[in-house]
Amino acid sequence: MYKLAVIPGDGTGPEVIREALKVMKASCARHGVKYETTHYDFGGDRYLRTGEILPENELAQLRKADAILLGAVGHPDVKPGILEKGLLLRLRFELDQYINLRPVQLYPGVDCPLKNKGPAEIDFVVVRENTEGLYAGTGGFLRKGTPDEVAIQTSINTRMGVERCLRFAFDYCRTRNKRKELTLCGKTNVLTFAFDLWERAFNEIGQKEYPDVKRNYAHVDAICMWMVKNPEQFDVIVTDNMFGDIITDLGAMIQGGMGIAAGGNINPKGVSMFEPIGGSAPKYTGKNVINPLAAIGAAAMLMNSLGEKAVAGEIETAIKFVTGNKLKSLSAGKMGYSTQEVGDLVVAALK
Ligand code: IPM
Ligand code: MN
């Protein structure tokens, strides 16, 4: 019996999570996989009502879950940064989810903004470091609000943090398929301290522990260019927190948009959290028009992380059937179906 924590969150989060839970329930029932869910009402509404973001006692409960499913974080009436840092980043840090795993895969039937690129060309995974870098929150102001003010924000790169991320990426790359090509995305020509450490660790670990995995290096700006020009050259990309954040939004666009992009915040030995990577989409809230496939894909990733490969595989196949045979578009309001109906289509396609 798995214990799953569910955080629907802000905006359209609850709508897409409802569909993800519906699909998960149907698939798990078919495979005899048992779980119980506990819902947490974290997010903008609770913060505005009570001032609470992530109370200690509830965080303690989350630590005991087998996995977490998260909808979205971000509320139009809350100043940017408060919920993002207080909830999403705090969860990633407190639960030491040091990997952000973001598959970039173009599903059948999905419009791709790149000319002459199809599912065969767009199929790679980004392994983003998720607890360090510029996200560590190191820095501060001096003389804030005066003409002489100074703002400093420092990128933290520990040997331990970089090594564990690289090892995860090498392991993942080794078993993903037969290509076994890992690309380090950095900026060694300018960030000559941070990415010097990354590059040395990459080569040392690769040479010693993963001689069967081919190593490539590319600067982040070149990666952006190639993700558009020749995305087929990528198998697995590993990078730091900030670059990973940026290139995975580009990745989401080439796989058809935020409506389909799912990701996992992973602690390989602890509690992992899965989420659709698009935001809370306040303007679509409550309209039953947002695409739930990213959240459903996140549920599949969650099941995969628990070792329930049959459930995960079945949900993924059903998503592909729905994109390939049913939806007109992945965009909110243009799918030809409501949020709820897309969930029903996926359930119907389970087999
Ligand atoms: C993401 C988001 C977050 C991030 C924000 C909401 C803090 O953009 O998950 O990619 O920057 O990591
Ligand atoms: Mn992002």
Side-chain angles (χ1 to χ4, degrees):
M1 184 77 138
Y2 296 115
K3 278 201 201 91
L4 305 183
V6 180
I7 307 174
D10 298 315
T12 50
E15 293 163 63
V16 297
I17 289 301
R18 204 174 302 133
E19 300 313 307
L21 290 174
K22 180 162 86 187
V23 171
M24 213 164 73
K25 186 173 174 189
S27 181
C28 284
R30 292 164 43 79
H31 292 87
V33 174
K34 298 218 169 5
Y35 62 88
E36 56 183 30
T37 55
T38 308
H39 279 66
Y40 294 85
D41 65 349
F42 304 135
D45 289 333
R46 174 157 169 194
Y47 172 68
L48 291 170
R49 216 172 51 237
T50 67
E52 292 168 328
I53 302 184
L54 179 55
E56 289 301 330
N57 62 329
E58 282 160 289
L59 175 61
Q61 290 171 29
L62 291 178
R63 288 186 200 280
K64 293 192 208 129
D66 290 305
I68 304 170
L69 186 63
L70 171 73
V73 174
H75 192 290
D77 301 335
V78 180
K79 189 175 163 228
I82 296 192
L83 296 169
E84 289 84 350
K85 281 184 146 177
L87 184 53
L88 181 60
L89 299 185
R90 179 135 186 264
L91 281 171
R92 289 176 181 170
F93 284 55
E94 291 277 1
L95 301 176
D96 204 19
Q97 294 163 340
Y98 62 86
I99 297 298
N100 198 322
L101 189 68
R102 297 193 163 176
V104 178
Q105 190 180 0
L106 182 65
Y107 283 163
V110 174
D111 272 343
C112 174
L114 306 181
K115 201 167 135 194
N116 301 328
K117 302 291 178 192
E121 283 77 33
I122 300 176
D123 183 8
F124 62 93
V125 174
V126 177
V127 175
R128 162 185 174 189
E129 201 291 322
N130 212 29
T131 54
E132 301 193 340
L134 283 165
Y135 279 70
T138 320
F141 289 108
L142 183 63
R143 300 188 289 267
K144 187 179 178 188
T146 74
D148 295 337
E149 73 178 324
V150 180
I152 294 177
Q153 195 119 31
T154 313
S155 175
I156 302 289
N157 299 264
T158 71
R159 184 79 192 201
M160 177 282 288
V162 170
E163 283 195 0
R164 66 182 182 173
C165 175
L166 289 170
R167 284 204 176 85
F168 181 94
F170 274 115
D171 284 329
Y172 189 86
C173 186
R174 186 179 255 173
T175 52
R176 182 174 120 88
N177 59 30
K178 295 216 165 66
R179 264 184 86 176
K180 301 206 241 177
E181 279 187 52
L182 182 62
T183 303
L184 173 64
C185 164
K187 189 73 186 172
T188 51
N189 53 348
V190 176
L191 305 180
T192 51
F193 310 126
F195 282 101
D196 184 76
L197 190 161
W198 274 85
E199 197 178 34
R200 278 183 287 116
F202 180 63
N203 288 324
E204 284 165 27
I205 291 173
Q207 217 164 36
K208 258 197 226 130
E209 301 169 35
Y210 304 89
D212 54 318
V213 177
K214 187 165 176 279
R215 271 172 281 133
N216 302 313
Y217 170 83
H219 297 320
V220 61
D221 45 351
I223 294 257
C224 289
M225 179 176 77
W226 284 323
M227 275 173 69
V228 172
K229 196 163 173 273
N230 317 102
E232 61 276 12
Q233 72 173 278
F234 297 119
D235 176 13
V236 179
I237 299 174
V238 62
T239 190
D240 84 345
N241 209 340
M242 187 79 257
F243 290 166
D245 176 47
I246 297 167
I247 68 170
T248 54
D249 265 30
L250 177 54
M253 284 304 119
I254 66 172
Q255 71 179 123
M258 286 298 184
I260 194 85
N265 301 277
I266 296 177
N267 177 338
K269 295 199 179 104
V271 186
S272 299
M273 175 168 76
F274 299 84
E275 53 172 340
I277 80 170
S280 54
K283 72 174 176 182
Y284 297 121
T285 302
K287 297 206 161 75
N288 201 21
V289 296
I290 196 86
N291 189 340
L293 289 180
I296 297 170
M301 289 182 80
L302 183 154
M303 281 293 149
N304 190 52
S305 81
L306 295 175
E308 301 300 342
K309 312 273 175 200
V311 172
E314 177 180 79
I315 296 176
E316 263 166 52
T317 305
I319 294 174
K320 286 182 191 162
F321 175 82
V322 170
T323 62
N325 300 284
K326 301 286 180 185
L327 301 196
K328 288 210 244 71
S329 153
L330 293 186
S331 305
K334 298 186 185 138
M335 300 185 289
Y337 298 92
S338 68
T339 305
Q340 218 170 346
E341 286 168 336
V342 175
D344 293 338
L345 288 170
V346 178
V347 170
L350 296 173
K351 59 166 177 292

PDB file of all heavy atoms in Angstrom, residues 84 88-89 92 102 128 135 245 275, ligand 1:
ATOM      1  N   GLU A  84       6.965  30.319  -4.651  1.00  0.00           N
ATOM      2  CA  GLU A  84       7.969  29.537  -5.380  1.00  0.00           C
ATOM      3  C   GLU A  84       9.082  29.106  -4.428  1.00  0.00           C
ATOM      4  O   GLU A  84       9.468  27.941  -4.384  1.00  0.00           O
ATOM      5  CB  GLU A  84       8.555  30.366  -6.531  1.00  0.00           C
ATOM      6  CG  GLU A  84       7.595  30.610  -7.694  1.00  0.00           C
ATOM      7  CD  GLU A  84       6.647  31.795  -7.474  1.00  0.00           C
ATOM      8  OE1 GLU A  84       6.582  32.327  -6.338  1.00  0.00           O
ATOM      9  OE2 GLU A  84       5.971  32.191  -8.437  1.00  0.00           O
ATOM     10  N   LEU A  88       7.652  25.396  -3.409  1.00  0.00           N
ATOM     11  CA  LEU A  88       8.259  24.493  -4.393  1.00  0.00           C
ATOM     12  C   LEU A  88       9.753  24.273  -4.122  1.00  0.00           C
ATOM     13  O   LEU A  88      10.220  23.136  -3.990  1.00  0.00           O
ATOM     14  CB  LEU A  88       8.046  25.053  -5.799  1.00  0.00           C
ATOM     15  CG  LEU A  88       8.612  24.220  -6.949  1.00  0.00           C
ATOM     16  CD1 LEU A  88       7.987  22.833  -6.962  1.00  0.00           C
ATOM     17  CD2 LEU A  88       8.370  24.898  -8.291  1.00  0.00           C
ATOM     18  N   LEU A  89      10.499  25.368  -4.022  1.00  0.00           N
ATOM     19  CA  LEU A  89      11.941  25.209  -3.806  1.00  0.00           C
ATOM     20  C   LEU A  89      12.213  24.637  -2.418  1.00  0.00           C
ATOM     21  O   LEU A  89      13.105  23.815  -2.233  1.00  0.00           O
ATOM     22  CB  LEU A  89      12.682  26.545  -3.999  1.00  0.00           C
ATOM     23  CG  LEU A  89      12.569  27.159  -5.406  1.00  0.00           C
ATOM     24  CD1 LEU A  89      13.432  28.416  -5.522  1.00  0.00           C
ATOM     25  CD2 LEU A  89      12.970  26.167  -6.490  1.00  0.00           C
ATOM     26  N   ARG A  92      11.819  20.947  -2.609  1.00  0.00           N
ATOM     27  CA  ARG A  92      12.957  20.336  -3.311  1.00  0.00           C
ATOM     28  C   ARG A  92      14.166  20.257  -2.392  1.00  0.00           C
ATOM     29  O   ARG A  92      14.872  19.246  -2.377  1.00  0.00           O
ATOM     30  CB  ARG A  92      13.308  21.163  -4.557  1.00  0.00           C
ATOM     31  CG  ARG A  92      12.295  21.066  -5.683  1.00  0.00           C
ATOM     32  CD  ARG A  92      12.674  21.983  -6.837  1.00  0.00           C
ATOM     33  NE  ARG A  92      11.706  21.925  -7.922  1.00  0.00           N
ATOM     34  CZ  ARG A  92      11.686  22.760  -8.956  1.00  0.00           C
ATOM     35  NH1 ARG A  92      12.584  23.734  -9.048  1.00  0.00           N
ATOM     36  NH2 ARG A  92      10.786  22.627  -9.903  1.00  0.00           N
ATOM     37  N   ARG A 102      13.707  15.755 -16.638  1.00  0.00           N
ATOM     38  CA  ARG A 102      12.725  16.306 -17.568  1.00  0.00           C
ATOM     39  C   ARG A 102      12.853  15.692 -18.962  1.00  0.00           C
ATOM     40  O   ARG A 102      13.704  16.094 -19.754  1.00  0.00           O
ATOM     41  CB  ARG A 102      12.859  17.815 -17.619  1.00  0.00           C
ATOM     42  CG  ARG A 102      12.555  18.424 -16.266  1.00  0.00           C
ATOM     43  CD  ARG A 102      12.373  19.903 -16.300  1.00  0.00           C
ATOM     44  NE  ARG A 102      11.696  20.332 -15.075  1.00  0.00           N
ATOM     45  CZ  ARG A 102      11.443  21.585 -14.754  1.00  0.00           C
ATOM     46  NH1 ARG A 102      11.790  22.550 -15.572  1.00  0.00           N
ATOM     47  NH2 ARG A 102      10.825  21.883 -13.637  1.00  0.00           N
ATOM     48  N   ARG A 128      18.606  17.841 -14.622  1.00  0.00           N
ATOM     49  CA  ARG A 128      18.924  19.156 -14.062  1.00  0.00           C
ATOM     50  C   ARG A 128      19.270  19.008 -12.581  1.00  0.00           C
ATOM     51  O   ARG A 128      18.491  18.422 -11.830  1.00  0.00           O
ATOM     52  CB  ARG A 128      17.700  20.057 -14.245  1.00  0.00           C
ATOM     53  CG  ARG A 128      17.670  21.300 -13.382  1.00  0.00           C
ATOM     54  CD  ARG A 128      16.327  22.038 -13.568  1.00  0.00           C
ATOM     55  NE  ARG A 128      16.238  23.146 -12.637  1.00  0.00           N
ATOM     56  CZ  ARG A 128      15.151  23.885 -12.423  1.00  0.00           C
ATOM     57  NH1 ARG A 128      14.036  23.621 -13.089  1.00  0.00           N
ATOM     58  NH2 ARG A 128      15.169  24.870 -11.563  1.00  0.00           N
ATOM     59  N   TYR A 135      20.174  28.696  -7.429  1.00  0.00           N
ATOM     60  CA  TYR A 135      18.963  28.476  -6.649  1.00  0.00           C
ATOM     61  C   TYR A 135      19.238  28.316  -5.155  1.00  0.00           C
ATOM     62  O   TYR A 135      18.309  28.292  -4.357  1.00  0.00           O
ATOM     63  CB  TYR A 135      18.229  27.230  -7.154  1.00  0.00           C
ATOM     64  CG  TYR A 135      17.399  27.485  -8.385  1.00  0.00           C
ATOM     65  CD1 TYR A 135      18.009  27.748  -9.607  1.00  0.00           C
ATOM     66  CD2 TYR A 135      16.007  27.457  -8.338  1.00  0.00           C
ATOM     67  CE1 TYR A 135      17.252  27.979 -10.743  1.00  0.00           C
ATOM     68  CE2 TYR A 135      15.242  27.685  -9.477  1.00  0.00           C
ATOM     69  CZ  TYR A 135      15.869  27.948 -10.671  1.00  0.00           C
ATOM     70  OH  TYR A 135      15.120  28.172 -11.798  1.00  0.00           O
ATOM     71  N   ASP A 245      16.802  24.867 -15.806  1.00  0.00           N
ATOM     72  CA  ASP A 245      15.499  25.538 -15.790  1.00  0.00           C
ATOM     73  C   ASP A 245      15.210  26.126 -17.163  1.00  0.00           C
ATOM     74  O   ASP A 245      14.124  25.952 -17.721  1.00  0.00           O
ATOM     75  CB  ASP A 245      15.502  26.641 -14.727  1.00  0.00           C
ATOM     76  CG  ASP A 245      14.207  27.428 -14.725  1.00  0.00           C
ATOM     77  OD1 ASP A 245      13.138  26.789 -14.743  1.00  0.00           O
ATOM     78  OD2 ASP A 245      14.265  28.667 -14.727  1.00  0.00           O
ATOM     79  N   GLU A 275       5.563  16.518 -11.156  1.00  0.00           N
ATOM     80  CA  GLU A 275       4.732  17.681 -11.472  1.00  0.00           C
ATOM     81  C   GLU A 275       4.677  17.946 -12.970  1.00  0.00           C
ATOM     82  O   GLU A 275       5.638  17.676 -13.683  1.00  0.00           O
ATOM     83  CB  GLU A 275       5.296  18.931 -10.763  1.00  0.00           C
ATOM     84  CG  GLU A 275       6.772  19.146 -11.053  1.00  0.00           C
ATOM     85  CD  GLU A 275       7.344  20.469 -10.525  1.00  0.00           C
ATOM     86  OE1 GLU A 275       6.583  21.398 -10.260  1.00  0.00           O
ATOM     87  OE2 GLU A 275       8.582  20.561 -10.409  1.00  0.00           O
TER      88      GLU A 275
HETATM   89  C1  IPM B   1      10.412  25.086 -12.747  1.00  0.00           C
HETATM   90  C2  IPM B   1       9.902  26.449 -12.351  1.00  0.00           C
HETATM   91  C3  IPM B   1      10.510  26.799 -11.006  1.00  0.00           C
HETATM   92  C4  IPM B   1      12.012  26.808 -11.162  1.00  0.00           C
HETATM   93  C5  IPM B   1       9.995  28.124 -10.417  1.00  0.00           C
HETATM   94  C6  IPM B   1       8.489  28.147 -10.312  1.00  0.00           C
HETATM   95  C7  IPM B   1      10.623  28.421  -9.081  1.00  0.00           C
HETATM   96  O1  IPM B   1      10.211  27.384 -13.316  1.00  0.00           O
HETATM   97  O2  IPM B   1      10.074  24.112 -12.060  1.00  0.00           O
HETATM   98  O3  IPM B   1      11.136  24.993 -13.730  1.00  0.00           O
HETATM   99  O4  IPM B   1      12.584  27.827 -11.559  1.00  0.00           O
HETATM  100  O5  IPM B   1      12.621  25.781 -10.894  1.00  0.00           O
END
